[in-house]
Amino acid sequence: MRWTSIAALLLTASLATAADEPKKELEPFQGTWAVKAITRDGEAVPDEVAQKLSLIIKGNERVVKDGDEVKSKGTFTIDAAKKPKQMDVTVTDGPLAGKTYPGVYELKDDTFTLCLALEGDTRPDDLTAKGGSGRLLQVFVKAKAKPEEVKAPELRTELLARRKADMTARLKVLELLQMNNGKPEGEAAEQFQKLVAEVHEMDAKHGEWLKAAVKRHGWPGVSLVGKDGAEAAFALAQHGGQSDLDFQKKCLELLAGAVKAKDASPVHLAHLTDRVRVAAGEKQVYGTEVVEKDGTLEAAPLEDEAKVDERRKEVGLPPLADALKQMRKQRGYPEKK
């Protein structure tokens, strides 16, 4: 028998439990498994054959595929109380349809190992498939999730590139502040001013680019550019929109709509809300904007300050005191005296 059919043989045999078996015993098996190795009678299936196969388990069913082609289906029963744990695989569709194969298995973290008796009715007593044993040993690993599918991949790529540049430039400023305890002087002060000027220039360019992108695509939400792309869009609006308050207000309006549609993060909306309010000379709502006061950082003036932590909790932000402590540490400022 060719390796492809042997590998697909019980790989493709779907796993299913008896109807009265607790569902919790099936939970660890759910999902897609990639093939790590297959051995039959002491002989390894070539990697180029094995690694094309995948095992998909849903509920009490399992399907084995060779690429996109379904090779086999089946059902299984398990007895997790036995040592070693037992599994019987019945092929319902495929080369060996109509036959049940006794086996033993081990499920540890993201690795699933299964040893089945291909010949005879004697159940294996360990996880080996030595020459002449008539056994098939299969080792699976939980498949990594596929890259997030987005509607506008090119837009996402550009957003991520600009976000990376944004972070790199700001980290240089942050590092300089940390090295100088928040107050660079002399040459460090000159370097600080130069870095800040570079950040402002970059922000302006990113703002103009984002304005054109929003006009063309609408707000870059998760469904359009993925979670990382949506985060990048928020960051560019937060930073790049500072030179154009009217545009930043428009971004806030669009982001609010995306949050309502569950296509963007409430945390991002909270930050942009405060940024726009402070820029407009108003009190902020969530305390995400800070000012230097008495030698350290404090939240900019707040609306209904007594309830700020309630509002922060609603959107997923930590208590304001904790956030300020972390921010002071990051930027090299002392704690409030």
Side-chain angles (χ1 to χ4, degrees):
M1 185 179 293
R2 295 179 61 187
W3 276 124
T4 301
S5 57
I6 292 174
L9 171 120
L10 299 165
L11 283 176
T12 64
S14 296
L15 297 176
T17 59
D20 60 348
E21 210 161 55
K23 288 185 179 180
K24 65 180 182 180
E25 292 188 356
L26 290 179
E27 289 177 3
F29 293 99
Q30 304 305 298
T32 300
W33 298 83
V35 175
K36 183 176 182 181
I38 305 173
T39 303
R40 185 193 184 195
D41 276 342
E43 187 175 351
V45 173
D47 287 345
E48 61 268 24
V49 174
Q51 292 176 5
K52 291 181 180 179
L53 300 166
S54 61
L55 171 65
I56 303 166
I57 299 174
K58 184 177 181 181
N60 66 347
E61 298 181 347
R62 111 179 185 170
V63 173
V64 175
K65 289 186 175 182
D66 182 350
D68 294 327
E69 181 185 359
V70 174
K71 302 298 293 186
S72 177
K73 297 179 181 180
T75 61
F76 79 96
T77 59
I78 63 174
D79 188 342
K82 296 290 178 63
K83 294 184 180 181
K85 296 178 181 180
Q86 297 182 0
M87 176 179 291
D88 290 336
V89 177
T90 301
V91 181
T92 58
D93 185 14
L96 301 178
K99 188 172 181 179
T100 297
Y101 300 86
V104 293
Y105 75 95
E106 179 181 73
L107 189 59
K108 186 176 182 181
D109 298 325
D110 288 336
T111 301
F112 167 35
T113 305
L114 176 62
C115 184
L116 295 161
L118 296 186
E119 301 173 9
D121 298 322
T122 302
R123 186 183 304 278
D125 54 7
D126 60 21
L127 296 168
T128 64
K130 298 177 182 179
S133 65
R135 297 179 184 179
L136 180 68
L137 179 67
Q138 306 155 90
V139 181
F140 308 94
V141 292
K142 257 301 174 56
K144 294 181 180 180
K146 293 182 178 180
E148 189 174 20
E149 293 185 5
V150 297
K151 296 178 182 177
E154 292 182 1
L155 176 60
R156 173 179 175 269
T157 298
E158 184 64 24
L159 281 165
L160 294 181
R162 289 177 181 272
R163 174 54 170 155
K164 183 177 180 180
D166 177 281
M167 292 178 66
T168 300
R170 282 176 162 77
L171 280 173
K172 288 181 181 179
V173 176
L174 180 58
E175 288 171 357
L176 186 62
L177 285 172
Q178 289 174 331
M179 291 172 60
N180 293 273
N181 297 317
K183 288 188 174 295
E185 298 177 354
E187 291 184 6
E190 293 179 8
Q191 185 181 3
F192 176 75
Q193 293 299 329
K194 181 180 178 182
L195 290 175
V196 169
E198 290 174 356
V199 168
H200 287 165
E201 183 181 354
M202 177 192 65
D203 285 347
K205 291 179 179 179
H206 286 176
E208 288 302 310
W209 176 85
L210 183 63
K211 189 181 297 185
V214 168
K215 184 176 181 180
R216 180 180 179 184
H217 299 279
W219 183 254
V222 175
S223 61
L224 188 67
V225 294
K227 289 183 179 180
D228 53 358
E231 182 175 354
F234 151 72
L236 296 188
Q238 184 86 337
H239 301 151
Q242 294 178 105
S243 59
D244 188 339
L245 185 56
D246 287 338
F247 173 60
Q248 201 168 47
K249 287 181 177 179
K250 179 63 176 178
C251 289
L252 179 61
E253 178 185 337
L254 294 172
L255 180 57
V259 170
K260 187 175 182 180
K262 297 183 178 180
D263 199 34
S265 168
V267 170
H268 295 166
L269 181 60
H271 277 272
L272 191 57
T273 296
D274 284 351
R275 180 62 57 91
V276 168
R277 277 178 165 257
V278 170
E282 303 172 0
K283 290 184 177 181
Q284 63 176 330
V285 178
Y286 300 97
T288 62
E289 292 291 301
V290 297
V291 294
E292 187 175 310
K293 183 179 180 182
D294 298 329
T296 189
L297 295 177
E298 294 288 355
L302 276 156
E303 185 176 279
D304 194 6
E305 186 172 353
K307 295 184 178 180
V308 64
D309 280 342
E310 291 181 24
R311 297 191 294 272
R312 290 175 67 90
K313 185 177 181 180
E314 287 176 357
V315 298
L317 288 169
L320 180 57
D322 294 347
L324 286 172
K325 184 176 181 179
Q326 181 65 21
M327 193 176 296
R328 290 166 185 151
K329 182 179 180 181
Q330 287 179 338
R331 300 189 184 183
Y333 283 84
E335 274 302 302
K336 184 178 180 181
K337 295 180 180 179

